[in-house]
Amino acid sequence: MSIAKDRTLWGVSIGHAAHDVWFGVAPVLLASLSVTMGLANSEIGFILLLYQLVSSLSQPIFGRLSERWGGRPFGVGAILWTTAMFSGVALAESKILLAVLVALAGFGSGAWHPQGAANATVAGGRRWGATAASVFFLGGTLGTTVGSAASGVLLSTLGRSSLLIISALTITVALTLVRPWIPFHVTTAKQEEQSPTTANGATGTAFWVLVVFLLAATALRSLTYHSLNSYVPKYQQDLGASPASYGVLMSLFLFATAIGGVMGSYVADRVGIRGVLVGTMVVAGGLLYGFLHGQGLWSDAAFVLSGLIIGPSHTLFVVAAQRQFPQRMAMISGLILGFTFVSGGGGAWLLGLAADRVGLGTALGVLPWLMLAAAACAFVALPRPQGAHTART
């Protein structure tokens, strides 16, 4: 990649980390507040759903606006906005104010992700697009990992107001590193003179049927991931773990997810998206089954390893969608990411409602089977290997 593209990829990846650090803070903070503010499982899920809904519905709009008006204002502004909202969350004393501030923070997510995902994929070119996108998502996952671990330690030792330390750090990163490295204009892929098709040449009705299967696979995978991120801290707390303990466990899971995302995307760029996507989700389902039915260190190890295997699927779903519409990559990135977030957040909320009736452990027991269903849908949506290309930029 050129120096300019390297700077772009670094800029959006570091910015992703600065923004998504708050996504790691949120479930740990809400789990700790479940005692002091009496938050039920369904209320935790609903508050996080509000964030996802606002983020999901606004992402396609922000994606189109960034294509027209430039990505830098939305990228930098998103980090500052999300930081301001979660700074308020750290000081909120009522459930209503807590929910409102978390929901408003969703606008920051909606503004950040479309321009970032589009710039990252284009920076990698046709040959390494999935790998570059995975580096972008690696930044976000690492930020979430740091947020999860740091917030657990801060909450256990210094209390809620200490989260303002994270606020100071994210603002500094946004203004000193992200701002000069994000290009003002969102780049687009080179024009490909063809109608929208899938990799196997499907057009018309067949094309849209495969898109439906792709969306179904995305939704099932997202429901599983968001449920794990939302409820494993609460699940661990119910088992007697401390915030610091389950904060570290979540950070290890998220770190493994980040590393797996890059490794799997690199392999997919060389051998094709389909095999990597389907295979990793099948293996992840088995590991999650081991986590939920095992005990002690073996259970924790299976959970962390499942993050490594789940990692590639998020990036590969986004890249698969981007390749259908190369001239509207920011808008399409917003659409697929928005759908990912709302399906994941909505599914996690429904799982929280079920958990209040049957118990959190029982409700989480459905997740391994949802991963297998996601793999089956992806197998149909991507019937031929794709992603391996001849060397070109």
Side-chain angles (χ1 to χ4, degrees):
M1 291 189 291
S2 67
I3 294 177
K5 288 184 176 180
D6 283 342
R7 284 171 59 89
T8 296
L9 185 56
W10 275 106
V12 295
S13 299
I14 292 173
H16 202 180
H19 181 275
D20 278 17
V21 68
W22 295 111
F23 190 64
V25 170
V28 176
L29 174 59
L30 292 176
S32 69
L33 293 177
S34 65
V35 176
T36 59
M37 297 182 67
L39 292 175
N41 294 320
S42 58
E43 289 176 320
I44 292 174
F46 182 71
I47 290 173
L48 294 174
L49 173 60
L50 292 176
Y51 175 87
Q52 302 290 8
L53 282 173
V54 173
S55 172
S56 301
L57 295 176
S58 62
Q59 282 201 42
I61 298 172
F62 280 118
R64 187 67 184 116
L65 290 176
S66 66
E67 290 171 346
R68 293 172 61 88
W69 295 346
R72 183 183 297 162
F74 292 103
V76 176
I79 298 173
L80 299 179
W81 174 266
T82 301
T83 297
M85 294 302 102
F86 274 102
S87 297
V89 170
L91 303 174
E93 296 295 339
S94 73
K95 290 183 181 180
I96 294 177
L97 181 58
L98 194 73
V100 168
L101 290 173
V102 172
L104 290 175
F107 283 113
S109 176
W112 169 259
H113 289 93
Q115 58 81 29
N119 276 321
T121 302
V122 173
R126 181 68 176 175
R127 184 184 182 192
W128 300 113
T131 302
S134 73
V135 172
F136 167 73
F137 289 116
L138 170 65
T141 306
L142 289 178
T144 305
T145 302
V146 171
S148 180
S151 61
V153 173
L154 289 172
L155 289 168
S156 295
T157 58
L158 300 175
R160 275 202 290 163
S161 61
S162 65
L163 296 180
L164 296 179
I165 296 172
I166 298 177
S167 300
L169 293 174
T170 56
I171 291 171
T172 300
V173 170
L175 297 179
T176 61
L177 293 178
V178 179
R179 184 179 180 277
W181 285 0
I182 295 181
F184 191 90
H185 295 290
V186 177
T187 53
T188 59
K190 294 181 180 180
Q191 179 68 39
E192 298 182 20
E193 297 296 335
Q194 60 182 21
S195 60
T197 62
T198 60
N200 67 338
T203 59
T205 302
F207 168 77
W208 292 110
V209 168
L210 296 181
V211 168
V212 169
F213 274 98
L214 182 64
L215 291 176
T218 301
L220 291 170
R221 185 268 180 199
S222 182
L223 188 162
T224 301
Y225 178 78
H226 280 79
S227 295
L228 292 171
N229 192 58
S230 298
Y231 297 120
V232 166
K234 182 60 165 60
Y235 178 65
Q236 291 292 306
Q237 181 168 286
D238 290 345
L239 295 177
S242 67
S245 176
Y246 55 71
V248 170
L249 179 64
M250 286 304 300
S251 69
L252 290 174
F253 169 78
L254 294 169
F255 180 76
T257 302
I259 298 302
V262 175
M263 293 171 58
S265 297
Y266 175 78
V267 173
D269 271 329
R270 299 180 66 87
V271 305
I273 289 178
R274 176 180 179 259
V276 175
L277 188 57
V278 174
T280 54
M281 288 193 293
V282 170
V283 175
L287 289 169
L288 288 177
Y289 185 88
F291 161 62
L292 294 168
H293 292 83
Q295 294 181 350
L297 182 61
W298 290 108
S299 174
D300 292 344
F303 179 62
V304 173
L305 188 57
S306 73
L308 184 74
I309 306 302
I310 286 174
S313 50
H314 176 56
T315 299
L316 298 182
F317 279 130
V318 173
V319 173
Q322 287 174 336
R323 287 178 177 171
Q324 311 309 319
F325 305 95
Q327 296 307 303
R328 286 288 179 264
M329 290 184 68
M331 186 178 71
I332 292 303
S333 296
L335 283 170
I336 191 67
L337 288 170
F339 179 76
T340 298
F341 290 160
V342 74
S343 59
W349 174 56
L350 292 175
L351 188 138
L353 290 174
D356 286 337
R357 289 179 172 270
V358 301
L360 188 53
T362 301
L364 291 174
V366 74
L367 298 183
W369 307 107
L370 295 184
M371 285 300 292
L372 295 181
C377 290
F379 184 85
V380 175
L382 303 173
R384 291 183 182 177
Q386 56 177 298
H389 304 283
T390 57
R392 55 175 175 163
T393 57

